[in-house]
């Protein structure tokens, strides 16, 4: 390997480490900003320019199956699990580059080996941080403690509404709100940095302020919001501009 390649490799590793360490501040600030605001735009542009074309985050869908049936879900829910050997093979490719790993689904907690995947990634690769995306309904006290012991850094939990019946109506599963809230509490109790993740659409855009206050003051975690991405033409969940500007 040439000196130029060594220098470039060191620069890439430094950029990844700095971005991973700064992302908490960026995410917190991004979450507090109004959707589509100038502040959010500045954060997005800064992150993209700083990181450049280097993939400091790898997103890995580990299962195409979920225990909820959310109206906005894009997953086909085939029930397919990525074989463990395939996941470990992918992880081994990052034995020297300090990336962040995001684990998604479907619902990752439906995998019996999800904690072992986290443990392997933290113990056998250069992966610096592991983030789990989940609906939280299956996050028991025992499981969240196991996640902490395995090395999970953060949990990002889908949260539709501060109003239980609205959340349950959207997930189309009764009592899912209570289970999600309990799961959030279990992640926090286990010592894992926890966020809620809320897509803003026609069914909750007007509750933006209330959701933010509930998550911040009642659940005591950091709320993250993003604009719903339509899944089809004339998607009824796509927020009209006039409602978006009022939020």
């Amino acid at each position: 390997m040439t000196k130029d390649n060594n220098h470039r490799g060191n620069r890439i590793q430094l950029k990844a480490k700095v971005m991973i360490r700064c992302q908490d501040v960026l995410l917190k600030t991004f979450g507090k900003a109004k959707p589509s605001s100038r502040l959010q735009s500045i954060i997005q542009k800064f992150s993209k320019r700083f990181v450049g074309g280097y993939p400091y985050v790898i997103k890995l869908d580990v299962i195409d199956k979920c225990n909820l049936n959310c109206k906005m879900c894009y997953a086909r829910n085939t029930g397919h699990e990525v074989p463990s050997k395939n996941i470990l093979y992918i992880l081994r490719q990052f034995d020297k580059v300090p990336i962040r790993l995001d684990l998604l689904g479907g619902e990752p907690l439906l995998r019996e080996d999800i904690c072992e995947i986290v443990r392997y990634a933290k113990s056998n690769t250069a992966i610096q941080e592991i983030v789990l995306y989940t609906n939280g309904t299956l996050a028991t006290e025992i499981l969240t403690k196991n996640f902490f012991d395995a090395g999970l850094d953060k949990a990002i939990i889908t949260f539709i509404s501060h109003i239980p019946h609205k959340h349950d109506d959207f997930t189309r599963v009764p009592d899912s709100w209570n289970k999600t809230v309990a799961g959030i509490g279990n992640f926090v109790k286990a010592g894992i940095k926890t966020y809620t993740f809320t897509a803003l659409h026609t069914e909750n855009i007007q509750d933006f302020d209330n959701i933010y206050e509930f998550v911040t003051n009642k659940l005591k975690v950091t709320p993250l919001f993003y604009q719903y991405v339509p899944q089809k033409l004339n998607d009824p969940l796509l927020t009209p501009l006039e409602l978006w500007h009022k939020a």
Side-chain angles (χ1 to χ4, degrees):
M1 182 178 290
T2 66
K3 289 184 178 181
D4 286 344
N5 285 336
N6 275 327
H7 179 68
R8 182 173 181 275
N10 291 336
R11 188 169 66 250
I12 286 174
Q13 291 190 22
L14 178 62
K15 286 174 68 175
K17 287 181 178 179
V18 170
M19 195 62 194
I20 288 171
R21 289 176 182 175
C22 291
Q23 68 182 347
D24 277 347
V25 175
L26 292 173
L27 281 173
K28 189 172 184 179
T29 305
F30 189 87
K32 288 183 176 180
K34 286 283 188 180
S36 296
S37 66
R38 181 171 176 77
L39 179 56
Q40 282 196 347
S41 177
I42 290 172
I43 293 172
Q44 289 173 324
K45 288 179 181 178
F46 166 78
S47 300
K48 184 176 181 180
R49 183 167 183 176
F50 181 81
V51 176
Y54 175 68
Y56 84 99
V57 179
I58 297 298
K59 294 183 178 292
L60 185 59
D61 290 343
V62 297
I63 188 171
D64 186 28
K65 182 179 180 181
C66 188
N67 58 322
L68 301 183
N69 187 26
C70 296
K71 295 178 182 179
M72 68 179 183
C73 189
Y74 59 84
R76 290 176 295 175
N77 210 20
T78 63
H80 174 71
E81 281 191 23
V82 180
S84 296
K85 64 178 183 180
N86 293 6
I87 293 175
L88 299 186
Y89 174 79
I90 292 171
L91 296 179
R92 283 195 292 270
Q93 310 311 305
F94 302 99
D95 59 339
K96 295 180 181 179
V97 181
I99 64 164
R100 188 185 93 190
L101 173 66
D102 288 1
L103 297 174
L104 309 96
E107 174 48 54
L109 300 195
L110 289 172
R111 286 190 70 112
E112 293 183 359
D113 62 350
I114 189 64
C115 282
E116 292 311 308
I117 292 173
V118 172
R119 192 184 311 278
Y120 182 90
K122 260 305 178 67
S123 302
N124 297 278
T125 74
I127 291 171
Q128 298 288 295
E129 184 174 62
I130 301 177
V131 180
L132 176 73
Y133 285 74
T134 173
N135 61 46
T137 59
L138 303 175
T140 63
E141 282 193 50
I142 293 176
L143 182 57
T144 52
K145 183 181 183 303
N146 288 341
F147 271 126
F148 179 82
D149 293 340
L152 181 67
D153 297 285
K154 296 176 182 175
I156 297 181
I157 301 173
T158 302
F159 191 74
I160 310 301
S161 174
H162 65 299
I163 302 172
H165 76 82
K166 280 192 173 183
H167 184 99
D168 291 357
D169 179 67
F170 196 83
T171 65
R172 294 185 278 216
V173 175
D175 204 38
S176 58
W177 187 90
N178 286 322
K179 292 177 180 178
T180 290
V181 169
I184 291 170
N186 289 334
F187 275 113
V188 172
K189 185 177 179 180
I192 296 170
K193 181 68 175 177
T194 306
Y195 302 84
T196 57
F197 200 43
T198 302
L200 294 173
H201 43 69
T202 53
E203 297 195 17
N204 66 1
I205 184 70
Q206 294 175 313
D207 293 330
F208 168 75
D209 289 332
N210 291 327
I211 295 171
Y212 178 86
E213 291 297 325
F214 180 84
V215 172
T216 303
N217 299 326
K218 298 293 186 181
L219 300 182
K220 305 293 185 182
V221 299
T222 302
L224 302 176
F225 298 89
Y226 68 100
Q227 184 175 7
Y228 169 72
V229 179
Q231 306 296 316
K232 57 186 176 182
L233 290 174
N234 301 316
D235 194 326
L237 292 175
L238 182 61
T239 305
L241 286 177
E242 59 269 21
L243 288 181
W244 189 258
H245 291 313
K246 289 179 182 178

